[in-house]
Amino acid sequence: MCLVPVRSGTADFTLRFPAHPSWVRTARDAMRTALRSAVPLNGELIETAALLTSEVVSNAINASLCCRTPPPVDIHACWSPEGELQVRVYDRGPGMPRLPDASPAVDQEHGRGLLLLSSCARRWEVCRHAPGPGKSVWFQL
């Protein structure tokens, strides 16, 4: 069972974009820009959210690129009633992300996204809401 936290419905931020690697930077920059206007004095939250968004979006795009016609990726961010930032990234690609069994080698370029999520997010989860491909990865800071 997937326990997506209750959201406040205020200060929502949503972005839908094509599943193309060039959009990772756009997603990260959009998150950073939205948070700079909402919490301008919380640089640590802004940079952590931008980093984790980038990692989760990268995974979502990679999953979507496995489809014959890559479907779009969605990001939704909002504040919980307790004041925590909640970010959800939804893709329609196959497969489920998994934490690696061991840390990747120092010279390996991939494989750290979920490890970063595990160490930086207060909570996170992978959810499959319907039969067929697609899932959400959400995290809370």
Side-chain angles (χ1 to χ4, degrees), residues 37-62:
S37 66
V39 289
L41 301 179
N42 196 336
E44 183 178 344
L45 174 75
I46 292 167
E47 291 310 313
T48 301
L51 171 66
L52 296 182
T53 297
S54 177
E55 295 296 335
V56 175
V57 166
S58 292
N59 288 350
I61 288 173
N62 287 338

Side-chain angles (χ1 to χ4, degrees), residues 11-29:
D12 286 359
F13 164 79
T14 300
L15 178 64
R16 174 174 280 180
F17 51 90
H20 188 276
S22 65
W23 281 86
V24 174
R25 172 179 241 167
T26 303
R28 180 179 59 241
D29 291 346

Side-chain angles (χ1 to χ4, degrees), residues 7-14 34-35 37-38 76-80 85-86:
R7 58 183 213 160
S8 68
T10 61
D12 286 359
F13 164 79
T14 300
L35 290 175
S37 66
H76 181 80
C78 65
W79 299 102
S80 74
L85 176 65
Q86 299 172 169

Side-chain angles (χ1 to χ4, degrees), residues 101-126:
D101 294 331
S103 294
V106 175
D107 60 346
Q108 191 173 350
E109 290 185 24
H110 303 285
R112 291 177 180 78
L114 294 181
L115 293 172
L116 282 169
L117 195 59
S118 292
S119 66
C120 297
R122 177 173 293 220
R123 294 173 52 197
W124 72 278
E125 193 170 352
V126 179

